[in-house]
Amino acid sequence: MKRLCCFLLLIICLQIIDYQLFAQGMLNKKQLTYCNPLNLDYGYTPIPNFAEAGRHRATADPVITLYKGDYYLFSTNQWGYWWSHDLYNWKFVSKSFLEPQHKVYDDLCAPAVFVLGDTLLVYGSTQEKNFPIWMSTNPKANEWKKAVDPFQIGAWDPDFFLDTDGKLYLYWGSSNVYPLYGQQISRKTFAPIGERREMFKLNDAQFGWQRFGEYLDNTFLDPFMEGAWMTKYNGKYYLQYGAPGTEFSGYADGVQVSDKPLGPFRPQPHNPFAYKPGGFARGAGHGNTFQDVWGNWWHLSTMVIAVKNNFERRLGLWPAGFDKDGTLYSNTTFGDYPHYLPTGPQDHLKSRFTGWMLLNYNKPVQVSSTLGGYLPNYAVDESIKTYWSAATGNKGEYLQTDLGSVSTVHAIQINYADQDAEFLGKQQGTYHQYKLYYSQDGKKWTVLVDKSQNKTDVPHDYIELPEPVRTRYLKLENLHMPTGKFAISGLRVFGQGAGTKPDMVKGLVVLRTEKDKRSAWLKWTPSDKAYAYNIYTGIAPDKLYTCIMVHGQNDYYFKGMDKDLPYYFSMEAVNENGVSQRTPVMESK
């Protein structure tokens, strides 16, 4: 009996060692993929009036700048900034850029970030001539001083652009009345040179996507234009802007092009160039276009939640680039599914999507408890706006998802929702802790991910497994919440299902009447094998750069067209096993 006890103890010890080695491998393995929204330790809104419906995380208006081989990320009201060496692991640096005379909540709202020589410079939005331009040659160490104080232009949503001839320009504007503005600035003194010039306004009578509102119907307000960003490519100037409103699914970035930095500008035919009105997390507006260390283009932008406040938002990162004709594009296809991180020069017209499908859309769930109307299936309905909440934030609250059949799981994304959060403003030292289990039969469970010792804030935690697992059930068990209830807007499981891909979509019809050429009604025959559809559209058969993911319906009102251009459409069906063949491209005049 003694030998048997010793033998059993040895087996238990070996199992513990194996588990520890697996867990250590999880921590040490280099991440190859990422998933939007970006998993950053977002601060909570610092504005009390914005938190009356519930305190919540919020940021927007982001900029990533490559500086001395590292990436620096600034965004609205974070009381600091992040830096990264790989676009995945971000380290936060706490820094207030406000001084006592600045009587505002906005600490670097919609900041401008640019590099001059060996110096990184930052300037926040203000309507007054009372804000300095900050500079640093060692931002990792949080060493900053003033380059000029105050800067003599009050600019909201500013963007500084250094041209290849050494001249410096400022672009700015955020209004549903006034245009974007541009002006040359002295590179040495930062004093304005000449007069400001009007760049352009919106034209929603021609461009349907610029209409205000969730349904692009211009009710309530006229559309807003904001978020200027300039990029130069092959001698052309691409002035980008966000529209029509940051609180809507159709929040997007458009672009106009010129041969000169201050215009005149003309709209690029493919517009908006960054657009994501469908899927789990929507919106791709007010951001910036930058190059990584290999010269690949990326577009960073604002994603929309807008539940507890219109300005409840997150950040998303998209592969981008210029095609052979100089057309600026962003690839948002499967834009909130796992994508490969950059490892070298890439053609971003070719997808960076891993091919790992969502395995648990609207599949059965079990939970430990439910708070009011925050129902369990809201955690798997592919909407970041809805969420399940447990009755407490206590250890042991759990959410279990059933994939329906044994499938191959490659990655999991855990999207926390803010329910009864207590924080205003950026917090330090907060963290999530949990365990994630898997099972083939729902009875015998094995730990898949152990974050019981985690000390980081991971509101959109994304776990790429070192090796895929075969499983049917996954269970997320709460151990610690930074604040509020244990609430999940999306427990999203990615991999490969055990069945067949859906058949090609049948019966696609595009109805574009004479009454309003900005809009079309798309209809198709529903497929019992598909849970979603991707609609591809563009201004040429070989430029179907816009992709809209639609769940649980067989029609869609597309209201984002230029009334003067023909558009082209194709579709594919989506399920947990893959995507169908695309339909033949059809023209709609």
Side-chain angles (χ1 to χ4, degrees):
M1 178 62 71
K2 184 176 181 180
R3 287 183 178 180
L4 178 60
C5 291
C6 291
F7 179 70
L8 291 175
L9 181 61
L10 176 61
I11 291 176
I12 293 171
C13 289
L14 288 174
Q15 288 177 335
I16 292 173
I17 291 171
D18 286 343
Y19 165 69
Q20 288 176 337
L21 289 173
F22 176 80
Q24 191 63 37
M26 284 286 297
L27 294 174
N28 293 338
K29 180 179 170 63
K30 179 177 174 61
Q31 194 87 7
L32 300 178
T33 61
Y34 75 100
C35 190
N36 289 318
L38 294 181
N39 184 32
L40 300 166
D41 52 333
Y42 299 97
Y44 294 77
T45 179
I47 306 173
N49 289 345
F50 284 10
E52 291 178 355
R55 298 185 178 189
H56 58 275
R57 298 177 189 268
T59 197
D61 321 319
V63 176
I64 287 180
T65 298
L66 183 61
Y67 176 67
K68 293 184 178 180
D70 292 307
Y71 305 97
Y72 287 83
L73 168 55
F74 291 75
S75 64
T76 288
N77 284 337
Q78 294 305 287
W79 299 358
Y81 52 94
W82 295 270
W83 70 270
S84 172
H85 194 66
D86 58 7
L87 288 176
Y88 181 80
N89 295 290
W90 294 94
K91 299 179 181 179
F92 185 74
V93 180
S94 179
K95 166 67 178 176
S96 176
F97 292 89
L98 292 180
E99 296 185 309
Q101 68 269 26
H102 302 134
K103 305 297 184 181
V104 295
Y105 286 108
D106 296 315
D107 194 333
L108 277 188
C109 181
V113 184
F114 61 110
V115 177
L116 287 180
D118 66 347
T119 305
L120 184 70
L121 297 104
V122 175
Y123 177 65
S125 293
T126 178
Q127 303 284 15
E128 309 295 331
K129 298 177 182 179
N130 66 344
F131 205 84
I133 297 177
W134 296 87
M135 67 179 185
S136 175
T137 56
N138 192 8
K140 283 184 185 178
N142 203 11
E143 297 175 0
W144 294 88
K145 61 182 180 180
K146 297 173 185 176
V148 60
D149 185 21
F151 180 55
Q152 289 302 302
I153 297 178
W156 204 267
D157 287 7
D159 169 50
F160 285 92
F161 166 70
L162 180 64
D163 204 347
T164 50
D165 62 4
K167 293 181 179 179
L168 183 65
Y169 297 88
L170 173 68
Y171 304 91
W172 73 96
S174 178
S175 174
N176 64 347
V177 176
Y178 302 107
L180 295 185
Y181 296 100
Q183 189 166 12
Q184 187 178 347
I185 304 295
S186 169
R187 180 172 174 172
K188 293 183 178 180
T189 67
F190 297 103
I193 297 175
E195 299 296 323
R196 74 176 187 184
R197 294 174 58 176
E198 292 190 2
M199 299 294 96
F200 49 81
K201 293 183 178 181
L202 295 179
N203 181 9
D204 57 296
Q206 178 166 351
F207 304 110
W209 70 275
Q210 295 181 359
R211 288 175 283 186
F212 191 80
E214 182 66 21
Y215 304 104
L216 299 178
D217 52 15
N218 272 349
T219 57
F220 187 61
L221 286 173
D222 292 329
F224 282 79
M225 181 169 59
E226 56 194 354
W229 180 265
M230 175 64 82
T231 301
K232 188 176 185 181
Y233 178 78
N234 280 356
K236 300 287 187 181
Y237 297 87
Y238 294 74
L239 183 52
Q240 300 146 58
Y241 59 95
T246 191
E247 54 268 71
F248 305 122
S249 299
Y251 194 38
D253 276 341
V255 61
Q256 295 206 20
V257 186
S258 178
D259 295 323
K260 300 177 182 179
L262 294 177
F265 287 89
R266 64 188 184 281
Q268 175 180 271
H270 169 56
N271 256 310
F273 78 93
Y275 195 43
K276 191 185 180 303
F280 171 70
R282 303 179 179 185
H286 193 152
N288 84 303
T289 303
F290 68 97
Q291 287 179 282
D292 64 24
V293 293
W294 296 282
N296 303 309
W297 291 98
W298 296 84
H299 190 69
L300 177 71
S301 56
T302 304
M303 306 189 79
V304 179
I305 297 180
V307 171
K308 291 184 171 61
N309 184 269
N310 288 354
F311 302 103
E312 182 183 8
R313 297 164 291 178
R314 298 290 190 270
L315 306 183
L317 179 65
W318 328 104
F322 299 85
D323 71 10
K324 59 182 176 59
D325 300 316
T327 298
L328 174 61
Y329 66 88
S330 292
N331 192 338
T332 63
T333 304
F334 287 106
D336 46 38
Y337 281 45
H339 276 60
Y340 286 108
L341 289 161
T343 56
Q346 301 289 336
D347 178 3
H348 280 172
L349 284 173
K350 297 178 181 178
S351 178
R352 301 289 292 160
F353 173 43
T354 59
W356 302 340
M357 308 308 296
L358 182 69
L359 301 178
N360 64 329
Y361 170 65
N362 270 351
K363 297 289 180 67
V365 295
Q366 294 182 23
V367 297
S368 54
S369 66
T370 298
L371 177 70
Y374 299 101
L375 301 177
N377 272 83
Y378 287 155
V380 293
D381 69 350
E382 277 300 273
S383 172
I384 200 170
K385 290 176 175 287
T386 60
Y387 59 89
W388 161 76
S389 177
T392 75
N394 296 342
K395 179 179 179 180
E397 296 276 20
Y398 71 85
L399 168 69
Q400 178 180 318
T401 182
D402 178 359
L403 307 184
S405 61
V406 175
S407 304
T408 302
V409 175
H410 286 267
I412 301 97
Q413 187 190 43
I414 302 167
N415 297 275
Y416 288 89
D418 295 316
Q419 180 60 37
D420 296 329
E422 298 175 346
F423 298 144
L424 280 177
K426 181 70 179 183
Q427 303 297 310
Q428 299 291 306
T430 58
Y431 58 92
H432 299 81
Q433 291 178 343
Y434 62 84
K435 285 186 179 181
L436 189 66
Y437 302 85
Y438 71 104
S439 171
Q440 290 200 2
D441 59 9
K443 298 176 181 178
K444 181 181 178 181
W445 295 91
T446 303
V447 175
L448 181 61
V449 179
D450 185 349
K451 294 223 172 171
S452 59
Q453 303 303 312
N454 178 58
K455 290 296 183 181
T456 57
D457 192 10
V458 287
H460 298 279
D461 209 8
Y462 172 69
I463 305 100
E464 176 191 320
L465 301 179
E467 297 293 338
V469 298
R470 297 275 296 165
T471 190
R472 174 172 174 172
Y473 301 93
L474 291 103
K475 181 165 64 176
L476 175 66
E477 180 186 14
N478 179 54
L479 299 179
H480 174 79
M481 287 289 295
T483 184
K485 305 289 195 300
F486 181 52
I488 302 294
S489 64
L491 174 58
R492 308 175 72 218
V493 183
F494 296 102
Q496 195 66 40
T500 59
K501 299 177 182 179
D503 298 326
M504 187 172 69
V505 174
K506 297 179 181 179
L508 174 61
V509 177
V510 180
L511 303 173
R512 189 180 183 190
T513 69
E514 294 297 327
K515 181 177 181 180
D516 187 352
K517 290 293 186 180
R518 300 171 297 175
S519 304
W521 184 19
L522 281 69
K523 293 178 65 67
W524 58 92
T525 302
S527 169
D528 59 359
K529 294 182 180 179
Y531 64 62
Y533 303 89
N534 279 331
I535 301 170
Y536 294 92
T537 185
I539 46 87
D542 61 344
K543 296 182 188 292
L544 303 184
Y545 297 154
T546 293
C547 180
I548 306 166
M549 179 174 273
V550 177
H551 287 84
Q553 62 191 70
N554 67 309
D555 69 341
Y556 184 76
Y557 289 91
F558 177 54
K559 303 174 70 175
M561 292 183 286
D562 179 339
K563 71 179 182 64
D564 294 334
L565 293 180
Y567 276 74
Y568 298 83
F569 294 87
S570 180
M571 282 188 67
E572 65 189 8
V574 179
N575 70 12
E576 60 268 30
N577 309 306
V579 298
S580 72
Q581 180 182 348
R582 289 194 195 181
T583 61
V585 177
M586 66 168 53
E587 182 183 29
S588 179
K589 293 184 178 180

